[in-house]
């Protein structure tokens, strides 16, 4: 167990907690649902993945225990968290939550009219 | 507005396999590690509920033509049968036995009759959860 591996583990844990903190700040500071959802689904995913990777490396290299559940957890979070963000954001748009007033363009706005015209 | 659930359905087909594999692992790990029949059954029914969320009830019952009420009965029968099987060997009810066997592929494995009891718990938990959810889901 060399010091450099301990440094990498510590860096991963601190980076993961920092990214989770960034998520919390984003949830407080950002103006509307969509930007908040952007902050929550992106940086929280990477933060949790960093922490899980650090935990895995700690138990693998320090204790000699290969925990495959952590690898599975990393893959699972990586697959599902963006999909959850996508579904939440689509559900809010379809239930008519308006965008931030300084938003420039909304390409989905005329979708219903376009479909009625072309169907 | 037309909607399509292609992202949800594609991810569900991949993820439900992962959840079911993890639940089977939890079920078999129950003797030596955290896990067991209850949490394994709950997680399997969680995977089935995810399928129900992404597709509709008709599609899921076509993929898995299982009568969940029958599953409860089979699970209870397994649990009672393990207990009653002990009576045949002139020991008290629910006495369990185990031994080490040399299986062809797996090598030395300890087989325990508590696994059969746990299978009963697993099936009952899946049956009860899915019966509750499907009954609530169908009624308008």
């Amino acid at each position: 167990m060399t010091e450099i591996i301990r440094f990498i583990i510590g860096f991963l844990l601190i980076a993961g907690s920092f990214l989770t903190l960034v998520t919390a700040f984003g949830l407080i500071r950002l103006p509307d649902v969509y930007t908040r959802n952007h902050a929550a689904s992106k940086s929280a995913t990477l933060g949790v993945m960093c922490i899980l990777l650090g935990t895995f490396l700690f138990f693998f290299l320090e204790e000699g225990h290969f925990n495959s559940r952590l690898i599975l957890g990393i893959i699972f979070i990586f697959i599902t968290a963006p999909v959850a963000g996508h579904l939440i954001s689509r559900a809010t748009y379809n239930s008519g939550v308006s965008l931030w007033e300084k938003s420039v363009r909304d390409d989905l706005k005329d979708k219903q009219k376009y479909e009625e015209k072309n169907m | 507005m037309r909607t399509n659930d292609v992202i949800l359905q594609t991810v569900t087909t991949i993820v439900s396999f992962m959840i079911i594999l993890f639940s089977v692992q939890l079920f078999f790990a129950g003797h030596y590690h955290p896990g067991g029949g209850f949490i394994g059954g709950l997680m399997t029914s969680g995977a089935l509920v995810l399928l129900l969320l992404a597709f509709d009830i008709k599609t899921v019952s076509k993929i898995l033509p299982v009568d969940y009420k029958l599953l409860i009965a089979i699970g209870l029968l397994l649990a009672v049968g393990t207990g009653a099987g002990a009576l045949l060997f002139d020991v008290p009810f629910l006495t369990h036995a185990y031994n080490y066997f040399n299986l062809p592929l797996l090598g030395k494995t300890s087989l325990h009759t508590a696994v059969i009891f746990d299978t009963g718990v697993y099936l009952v938990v899946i049956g009860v959860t899915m019966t509750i959810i499907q009954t609530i889901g169908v009624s308008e």
Side-chain angles (χ1 to χ4, degrees):
Chain A
M1 188 66 195
T2 53
E3 286 302 316
I4 203 156
I5 289 172
R6 283 198 185 132
F7 176 78
I8 291 172
I9 291 170
F11 174 77
L12 279 174
L13 289 180
I14 291 172
S17 6
F18 175 73
L19 282 168
T20 319
L21 188 69
V22 165
T23 308
F25 274 113
L27 285 179
I28 297 169
R29 296 279 300 168
L30 288 173
D32 71 341
V33 184
Y34 306 101
T35 45
R36 281 178 183 168
N37 196 0
H38 168 80
S41 59
K42 248 183 187 160
S43 53
T45 311
L46 190 60
V48 173
M49 281 167 69
C50 278
I51 291 176
L52 285 180
L53 189 64
T55 319
F56 170 76
L57 285 177
F58 176 78
F59 280 106
F60 182 46
L61 297 167
E62 191 110 16
E63 316 260 323
H65 169 64
F66 188 90
N67 196 336
S68 53
R69 291 183 186 195
L70 285 170
I71 301 284
L72 200 67
I74 293 173
I75 298 170
F76 193 82
I77 292 253
F78 186 63
I79 295 175
T80 52
V83 178
H86 160 78
L87 288 174
I88 292 170
S89 153
R90 204 175 69 160
T92 44
Y93 191 89
N94 285 344
S95 56
V97 177
S98 58
L99 273 67
W100 187 32
E101 68 266 17
K102 286 182 192 163
S103 300
V104 180
R105 58 186 287 182
D106 182 4
D107 280 344
L108 275 176
K109 196 170 56 185
D110 300 325
K111 181 168 175 272
Q112 193 167 12
K113 255 182 271 169
Y114 173 82
E115 276 183 354
E116 278 166 6
K117 205 165 56 183
N118 288 291
M119 286 302 140
Chain B
M1 194 186 287
R2 278 189 315 138
T3 56
N4 59 350
D5 296 330
V6 66
I7 295 179
L8 178 62
Q9 289 177 351
T10 314
V11 168
T12 301
T13 50
I14 302 166
V15 158
S16 57
F17 277 107
M18 287 169 68
I19 300 175
I20 286 182
L21 277 178
F22 186 49
S23 74
V24 171
Q25 196 263 342
L26 275 179
F27 170 69
F28 281 114
H31 199 70
Y32 295 108
H33 300 287
F38 185 74
I39 192 167
L42 269 185
M43 196 166 268
T44 306
S45 44
L48 297 178
V49 170
L50 184 64
L51 281 177
L52 283 178
L53 282 177
F55 304 95
D56 51 0
I57 282 184
K58 234 175 247 171
T59 319
V60 175
S61 59
K62 198 190 278 177
I63 301 168
L64 290 168
V66 182
D67 186 6
Y68 292 104
K69 293 189 282 300
L70 200 66
L71 219 58
I72 303 175
I74 294 171
L76 284 175
L77 192 71
L78 276 178
V80 175
T82 328
L87 293 175
L88 296 176
F89 298 97
D90 211 15
V91 282
F93 185 67
L94 277 175
T95 308
H96 287 287
Y98 71 98
N99 209 345
Y100 293 95
F101 296 97
N102 272 316
L103 298 179
L105 270 175
L106 300 168
K108 188 185 173 195
T109 320
S110 75
L111 295 181
H112 203 299
T113 51
V115 177
I116 307 172
F117 186 82
D118 227 16
T119 312
V121 176
Y122 182 77
L123 293 179
V124 168
V125 170
I126 295 178
V128 169
T129 319
M130 293 312 290
T131 309
I132 291 172
I133 288 171
Q134 281 193 340
T135 317
I136 294 173
V138 167
S139 62
E140 290 297 316

